[in-house]
Amino acid sequence: MPDAMVESSASKTTSNGATQQVDVAVVGAGFAGLYLLHRLRKAGFTTVAVDEADDVGGTWYWNRYPGARCDIQTIDYSYTFDPELESAWKWSEKYATQPEILRYLGFVADRYDLRRDIRFHTRITAATWDQAAERWRLTTDNGAAISCRYYIMATGCLSSPKPPEIEGVKDFKGEIYFTGRWPHHEVKLAGKRVAVIGTGSSGIQAIPLIAEQAAHLTVFQRTANYSVPARNAPFTAEAQAAVKANYRAIREKMRSNINGHPYDIRKESALEVTEQERLRRYEAAWEKGGLEFRGAFSDLLTNKESNDTASDFIRAKIRSIVKDPETVRILTPTDHPFASKRPPIDTNYFETFNRDNVALVDVRAAPIQEITPHGIRTSGREHELDVIVFATGFDAMTGPMLAMDITGTEGRSLRQDWAAGPRTYLGLQVPGYPNMFTVTGPGSPSVLANMPVAIEQHTQWIARCIGHMREHGLTRIEADAKAAEDWGAHVNEAAGQTLLPKANHSWYLGANVPGKPRVFMPYAGGMARYAKFTDEVAQNGYRGFHAR
Ligand code: N01
């Protein structure tokens, strides 16, 4: 009997407080959760999505800090599954702000009437595989438990903010904010002495705007970062029309590219051209702005010598923008190759350090010792503050999943199974956890690709897989342990062919979280190659999975 027959409507079952019976439960109502809900409902599966927030949006619901906006051109950072949706929505800027992206996701939720099957304000606290029933039982912190055949993590890769590992936070008498959990009310910074700790993408987006509002801003930097200007601009009607006229070809290109973006990566090595030509190309890429800078040559992410030319170019740009030589010295990245960490895309980041009200503290030279009632004490001095902003990042990729108590076959626990790092087959399933899927999980291209492209590919793959299960009267599918081991080795090998593991403080490696095992988590072999491989797996009877 199709699982959809268990209950006719996902929402109907919650009203009496009994266990909610559905075919599929999805954790998260961001880009991935919304599309999963739409796609699976359309395929006739009763589906419920659960989210801690009080509305849709996922990462775009929480990250409301000043300056939060997309670092991929938003026209390319959109759903592609429905041409009518594509024509119905207009972006106002090349790189839309967080409120506009959140409006877009709300528009999507309305258009497909998704909210009626989303349980907001609800967290899954535990998930346990019931071997006899071949179903997952989910405990929540709000309302009915859920029983589902398939359990899908659409939890996002960057959704668990890293707790501050600095002493004294509780003693601080001023205001504390996290970029990843920015409040919904207006945060007034005018006239205040503000600190930002962290210079990753979030800090680099927030710093210029906070500097404009605050009386004084002190930036606490541990690792100097490369950043390329976004060159944001209005997304004109003409530009919009040009893209829309060519939509299908652009989308196809995105899907056939290594990173899910629609731009070409140049074919030549940075070492194959003259210095003059190299500089000309870098200058053009800098002027154009955005992540496309990484595509200026074919081998910036694979050849250290080539990468040095790009890193040197950006270092020279920092010298040319920032006036104070000591500030230049601190801001100049030296300990990792360009783009071996996710390169931030900024608006006026380096320029901000020329402002009279901005100071930079080198936390490597003078480590933060503690937060005091009135500020931050480094080994050098105490900085008096009214506000501290933590832009210190996330427990990436595994954090959101490990926040739940997940118990698989024979009482195994995901926390124990992943104690030495995540182990997955294709970033889609974990051996020992049948019928549980991860969208953009560790071991898949995820954060190395344009996220909506990766999300749509995974959603379609999972929908097809569980459709296949229903069609063939199957009720249980589980990744093979050896297939997962081989895939893990391939993920390592793919990372080893790039410079990505060379940034030894990167969140790709889990190195930003004290005590987290250092395992390179995303799949660096490329989005198109990955999609081809996973399609072949499906075509070959779900090779590497056991279904029955
Ligand atoms: O986090 P991060 P993020 N004391 O981990 C520092 C995506 N994103 O939120 O490098 C002092 O990159 C830490 O220092 P170090 C994007 O994929 C996208 O900025 O570990 N400093 C680092 O400087 C991005 O990569 C957008 O030495 C401490 C910073 O805090 C990912 O999210 C916008 C510290 C953390 O940087 C994460 O970005 C924003 C400590 N105890 C984010 N702990 C878009 O544009 C950490 N740091 C769409």
Side-chain angles (χ1 to χ4, degrees):
M1 181 197 296
D3 281 337
M5 302 303 285
V6 170
E7 286 291 339
S8 58
S9 151
S11 45
K12 225 161 95 182
T13 48
T14 50
S15 51
N16 60 10
T19 295
Q20 182 176 11
Q21 304 280 342
V22 286
D23 297 333
V24 189
V26 173
V27 196
F31 258 99
L34 292 179
Y35 181 39
L36 273 163
L37 183 52
H38 169 63
R39 176 86 189 206
L40 295 171
R41 233 167 47 176
K42 225 173 116 190
F45 292 103
T46 55
T47 306
V48 66
V50 177
D51 202 295
E52 215 178 322
D54 63 9
D55 202 357
V56 300
T59 199
W60 298 104
Y61 173 93
W62 297 108
N63 286 271
R64 299 166 180 252
Y65 58 85
R69 60 170 80 236
C70 202
D71 64 358
I72 290 170
Q73 293 196 34
T74 334
I75 188 85
D76 305 323
Y77 186 86
S78 309
Y79 291 115
T80 71
F81 64 84
D82 179 355
E84 285 179 20
L85 169 64
E86 285 174 329
S87 358
W89 182 263
K90 289 187 178 41
W91 292 107
S92 70
E93 290 180 278
K94 238 167 107 175
Y95 297 95
T97 58
Q98 173 271 334
E100 187 170 1
I101 302 172
L102 194 58
R103 278 200 301 280
Y104 170 72
L105 291 171
F107 175 82
V108 170
D110 290 342
R111 190 175 176 94
Y112 304 107
D113 188 19
L114 299 177
R115 285 189 181 86
R116 72 181 154 91
D117 283 330
I118 305 176
R119 285 173 57 180
F120 293 112
H121 279 306
T122 305
R123 214 159 39 84
I124 306 289
T125 48
T128 306
W129 172 247
D130 178 341
Q131 184 74 39
E134 295 189 328
R135 294 175 71 83
W136 282 93
R137 185 178 165 87
L138 315 181
T139 313
T140 72
D141 68 346
N142 183 15
I146 298 170
S147 163
C148 55
R149 175 75 68 203
Y150 299 102
Y151 179 39
I152 307 183
M153 304 289 166
T155 36
C157 295
L158 295 154
S159 52
S160 284
K162 193 169 73 100
E165 59 267 329
I166 301 171
E167 291 290 310
V169 175
K170 286 196 177 62
D171 302 329
F172 185 59
K173 296 212 179 325
E175 301 155 59
I176 287 194
Y177 301 105
F178 290 82
T179 48
R181 285 288 182 276
W182 200 260
H184 288 215
H185 62 78
E186 189 196 351
V187 173
K188 294 194 171 121
L189 299 175
K192 296 183 182 163
R193 298 160 302 175
V194 180
V196 172
I197 306 178
T199 53
S201 298
S202 306
I204 281 179
Q205 285 188 331
I207 284 163
L209 291 183
I210 293 179
E212 284 172 14
Q213 296 166 32
H216 190 269
L217 168 65
T218 311
V219 175
F220 291 81
Q221 174 199 279
R222 192 161 67 182
T223 304
N225 216 339
Y226 301 92
S227 186
V228 174
R231 310 277 181 220
N232 187 33
F235 195 45
T236 60
E238 298 78 61
Q240 194 115 215
V243 173
K244 288 190 175 178
N246 210 8
Y247 241 150
R248 301 278 60 86
I250 294 173
R251 299 313 202 198
E252 226 14 78
K253 185 164 195 175
M254 282 160 67
R255 280 191 275 270
S256 61
N257 252 347
I258 185 162
N259 50 18
H261 292 269
Y263 58 77
D264 288 317
I265 294 170
R266 305 293 283 260
K267 302 240 177 314
E268 310 80 28
S269 155
L271 306 177
E272 261 178 62
V273 298
T274 62
E275 188 176 359
Q276 196 186 17
E277 171 59 10
R278 200 162 47 229
L279 290 177
R280 191 197 62 73
R281 280 219 208 149
Y282 283 141
E283 198 60 57
W286 182 267
E287 279 315 306
K288 190 169 182 198
L291 288 171
E292 197 174 339
F293 190 93
R294 292 180 301 185
F297 291 101
S298 63
D299 55 352
L300 296 184
L301 269 180
T302 49
N303 180 332
K304 173 72 169 52
E305 215 185 318
S306 295
N307 185 291
D308 284 345
T309 65
S311 302
D312 284 346
F313 177 86
I314 298 176
R315 288 192 274 259
K317 281 291 176 194
I318 299 172
R319 284 197 296 278
S320 74
I321 297 168
V322 180
K323 293 184 182 137
D324 173 53
E326 177 58 6
T327 308
V328 169
R329 188 190 66 73
I330 301 171
L331 283 174
T332 300
T334 51
D335 65 354
H336 63 287
F338 163 66
S340 57
K341 293 170 96 171
R342 167 84 171 193
I345 298 304
D346 74 272
T347 301
N348 293 332
Y349 174 62
F350 292 116
E351 289 81 348
T352 296
F353 292 92
N354 292 331
R355 294 177 65 106
D356 292 338
N357 70 334
V358 175
L360 178 64
V361 175
D362 178 358
V363 170
R364 263 197 217 288
I368 297 178
Q369 291 180 331
E370 61 169 344
I371 294 186
T372 67
H374 303 290
I376 294 178
R377 191 194 313 282
T378 63
S379 52
R381 56 171 279 211
E382 180 168 357
H383 301 261
E384 295 212 345
L385 299 162
D386 304 305
V387 179
I388 301 176
V389 174
F390 284 90
T392 44
F394 300 88
D395 183 353
M397 305 199 76
T398 54
M401 288 177 68
L402 296 179
M404 298 174 266
D405 286 321
I406 301 182
T407 309
T409 54
E410 292 150 21
R412 66 204 306 150
S413 119
L414 190 66
R415 283 192 199 119
Q416 277 166 15
D417 280 346
W418 281 9
R423 198 163 68 104
T424 71
Y425 181 43
L426 306 172
L428 279 165
Q429 262 212 355
V430 186
Y433 300 81
N435 293 7
M436 182 177 96
F437 292 93
T438 50
V439 177
T440 63
S444 77
S446 58
V447 291
L448 298 179
N450 179 6
M451 267 302 198
V453 174
I455 285 169
E456 286 192 341
Q457 192 266 343
H458 263 190
T459 298
Q460 288 159 10
W461 194 97
I462 294 168
R464 179 176 167 194
C465 174
I466 66 178
H468 165 93
M469 298 288 290
R470 181 174 61 184
E471 218 174 283
H472 292 84
L474 306 171
T475 48
R476 183 190 198 278
I477 181 162
E478 180 183 352
D480 176 72
K482 175 74 169 58
E485 199 181 303
D486 293 347
W487 182 252
H490 177 59
V491 170
N492 264 335
E493 182 197 14
Q497 287 167 3
T498 71
L499 299 174
L500 293 166
K502 298 248 180 283
N504 59 13
H505 30 59
S506 132
W507 60 258
Y508 292 154
L509 273 169
N512 63 328
V513 176
K516 190 166 171 168
R518 293 200 177 197
V519 172
F520 192 86
M521 293 182 284
Y523 175 58
M527 187 63 226
R529 182 169 161 207
Y530 172 84
K532 186 162 175 278
F533 188 81
T534 48
D535 280 351
E536 282 166 10
V537 163
Q539 280 150 18
N540 287 291
Y542 292 92
R543 192 181 60 220
F545 290 93
H546 301 286
R548 61 172 199 234

